[in-house]
Amino acid sequence: MQQINDFFAAFSSLLWGWPMIILLLGTHIFLTIRLRFPQRKIGTAIRLSVSRDRNATGDVSQFGALATALAATIGTGNIIGVATAISLGGPGAVLWCWLTGVFGISTKYAEGLLAIKYRVKTPEGKMLGGPMYALERGLGWKWAAVLFALFTAIAAFGIGNTVQANAISTLSFETYNIPPYVTGAVICLLAGAVIIGGVKSIARVCTMLVPFMAVFYVLGCLAIMCINGSYVWPAIKLICESAFTPAAAGGGFIGTTVMMAARYGIARGLFSNESGMGSAPIVAAAAQTRNPVRQALVSASGTFWDTVIICALTGIVIVSSIIAYPDIDYSNGAVLTKAAFSKIPYIGAPLLTVGLLTFAFSTILGWSYYGERAVEYLSSRKRAHASIRIYRLLYIAALFIGSVVSLGMVWNIADCMNALMAIPNLLSLLLLSGVIVKETRKYLWSGYLDKEMEEEE
């Protein structure tokens, strides 16, 4: 097992070296410039996300699709993932994580647009889409589409399943002394009851769960920042300075480099908001929307909430707690998270507990849908239903396994799968950027955002 872990650790380091950082950030920046800074339209995006295109074609509302995508992205990466980035790359990793989110808004916009542009309708009337369809129908790269779907189906068991179940069971045991096997059984029952109902059931639960958990966590972080008031500005300065000057980190972070801060910040940023990974477009394709650009804007708002707001607040809370309480152990992300939040009287521990439980469970639901759609793409039409049923059973069983076993190597495997998903997706975004610009000009730049897609075809 140690050899396997070492292999994936080395493979992860290789995948997340300079080439990946350049490809990921380069795509974010390239699309930001070519699409004329769609970040400016974040207000419009938020407005559209709570609107409903009742007569538009799709399986779920735009908000339902956004809530499902946010359910998958707002997970342990927003809390433990940020802390892990800080423990490995120093406080500067928070800024790189945040910048990945800011520029990633453009990439998430582009992904959402292509998801609607190249989605297909099954004989049963179900909408299917995502990078595998963009790769196949937009570029003619069937082989790359198959690889993306394969990596997605595998990644779902890591980033969306065992990692989340293990976080829930570990927290339940440490906080309430609940045996992991009991927690695992409860997770399987609750998740199974929702997952079996398909995308409409998942979206219905996520539309109720996501707003509650996000508002609760944001308000809690703001309260902690008020308690740590005198340390917030020093924390922000330390985050900014140590992102570009390793000596600025100081203390227990001596030895971190700018490359380490960038690597872990960008990796955890992608793990958190998934901009460029190609997962969120899978559910965006099911949205009821008049045209591709409307859903593209709605999808882009997900990265804003996930990273620009939630991850930034988490990073500031943790770094300010480190400054306020120098005895905190920086060596382990999970330990750092618990120590930083537990230092805050009254609200710190409950906020962490509720945040992790709801974030992790919602991620389990969102990623189950991603995995199912990937399996459906890989299966023949006749065998699709049977394949999905088998996948659901395996997914639910893996939740129990993740709850009761040690997952030391899972983070490395998850990072590898994330990168392997991102590479073909990012290439498709770059090569189809002309299509993205054309659709953006047709609906957004020309002022026809409310037009039906059929009117223009």
Side-chain angles (χ1 to χ4, degrees):
M1 293 298 290
Q2 184 59 45
Q3 290 178 335
I4 295 174
N5 185 48
D6 291 343
F7 167 78
F8 279 107
F11 191 34
S12 175
S13 297
L14 176 65
L15 289 172
W16 286 106
W18 276 114
M20 173 57 79
I21 290 176
I22 292 171
L23 177 61
L24 181 62
L25 273 184
T27 301
H28 289 349
I29 295 170
F30 171 76
L31 291 173
T32 294
I33 295 172
R34 188 158 193 201
L35 295 172
R36 302 179 186 176
F37 292 83
Q39 292 88 344
R40 296 180 296 110
K41 299 293 184 179
I42 197 65
T44 301
I46 294 172
R47 176 180 62 80
L48 289 175
S49 69
V50 295
S51 304
R52 191 179 184 91
D53 283 351
R54 295 185 181 277
N55 297 321
T57 303
D59 300 329
V60 296
S61 67
Q62 289 181 311
F63 183 73
L66 174 63
T68 304
L70 281 174
T73 54
I74 300 179
T76 56
N78 294 82
I79 304 178
I80 296 178
V82 172
T84 301
I86 294 171
S87 67
L88 296 174
V94 176
L95 180 62
W96 287 105
C97 180
W98 187 77
L99 288 173
T100 302
V102 171
F103 287 104
I105 289 173
S106 301
T107 302
K108 189 64 74 70
Y109 169 92
E111 290 176 317
L113 190 152
L114 293 182
I116 300 297
K117 176 71 175 177
Y118 293 111
R119 69 181 179 179
V120 299
K121 190 174 184 178
T122 68
E124 297 82 13
K126 183 170 58 177
M127 289 294 184
L128 301 177
M132 50 275 206
Y133 294 91
L135 286 163
E136 179 183 356
R137 303 182 70 212
L139 294 175
W141 289 5
K142 176 70 174 181
W143 60 272
V146 170
L147 285 177
F148 176 87
L150 180 62
F151 294 143
T152 301
I154 296 173
F157 285 97
I159 182 176
N161 186 302
T162 50
V163 167
Q164 312 299 332
N166 189 263
I168 294 174
S169 66
T170 300
L171 182 66
S172 298
F173 179 74
E174 292 181 354
T175 306
Y176 305 109
N177 203 32
I178 300 174
Y181 68 88
V182 174
T183 303
V186 173
I187 294 172
C188 289
L189 289 173
L190 293 177
V194 179
I195 291 170
I196 291 173
V199 64
K200 291 184 179 180
S201 174
I202 293 171
R204 186 165 55 251
V205 172
C206 290
T207 53
M208 295 185 292
L209 181 61
V210 168
F212 161 76
M213 70 183 194
V215 170
F216 176 83
Y217 186 73
V218 168
L219 292 177
C221 285
L222 292 175
I224 290 177
M225 289 169 63
C226 290
I227 295 172
N228 284 353
S230 59
Y231 301 100
V232 169
W233 180 243
I236 294 174
K237 288 180 61 178
L238 180 60
I239 288 169
C240 295
E241 292 172 359
S242 58
F244 305 102
T245 308
F253 298 106
I254 293 176
T256 60
T257 64
V258 172
M259 178 60 188
M260 290 172 66
R263 180 204 161 191
Y264 289 109
I266 293 171
R268 295 306 171 194
L270 176 60
F271 187 92
S272 169
N273 63 55
E274 300 175 17
S275 293
M277 192 191 302
S279 51
I282 297 174
V283 70
Q288 298 166 345
T289 185
R290 299 180 202 178
N291 58 63
V293 171
R294 289 174 71 90
Q295 183 55 38
L297 288 169
V298 172
S299 295
S301 69
T303 298
F304 171 78
W305 293 119
D306 179 271
T307 305
V308 177
I309 300 298
I310 295 179
C311 281
L313 290 175
T314 302
I316 294 172
V317 165
I318 292 176
V319 175
S320 65
S321 295
I322 290 172
I323 297 174
Y325 308 99
D327 61 316
I328 290 178
D329 180 11
Y330 315 144
S331 60
N332 181 278
V335 173
L336 172 58
T337 304
K338 185 176 181 180
F341 277 84
S342 63
K343 290 289 186 179
I344 310 302
Y346 307 115
I347 66 171
L351 175 65
L352 178 62
T353 300
V354 175
L356 277 176
L357 289 176
T358 55
F359 285 12
F361 184 72
S362 68
T363 300
I364 291 170
L365 300 181
W367 266 92
S368 70
Y369 179 77
Y370 297 160
E372 285 184 19
R373 295 287 75 80
V375 168
E376 184 169 5
Y377 180 84
L378 294 171
S379 305
S380 64
R381 183 172 296 176
K382 292 182 179 179
R383 298 180 179 178
H385 291 299
S387 298
I388 290 173
R389 283 196 295 268
I390 293 172
Y391 188 84
R392 285 175 178 171
L393 292 175
L394 292 174
Y395 193 87
I396 294 170
L399 290 172
F400 184 82
I401 296 172
S403 300
V404 299
V405 302
S406 175
L407 296 175
M409 72 175 72
V410 170
W411 282 97
N412 286 325
I413 296 175
D415 276 347
C416 291
M417 292 299 105
N418 293 351
L420 292 173
M421 287 175 63
I423 291 171
N425 180 58
L426 291 170
L427 291 176
S428 73
L429 293 173
L430 292 171
L431 295 174
L432 293 172
S433 61
V435 175
I436 299 167
V437 170
K438 180 181 177 181
E439 295 294 313
T440 302
R441 181 180 293 111
K442 182 190 297 185
Y443 296 107
L444 184 60
W445 297 344
S446 300
Y448 295 121
L449 192 59
D450 291 331
K451 273 204 169 186
E452 298 283 347
M453 184 163 40
E454 291 74 15
E455 295 178 15
E456 297 279 316
E457 297 297 333

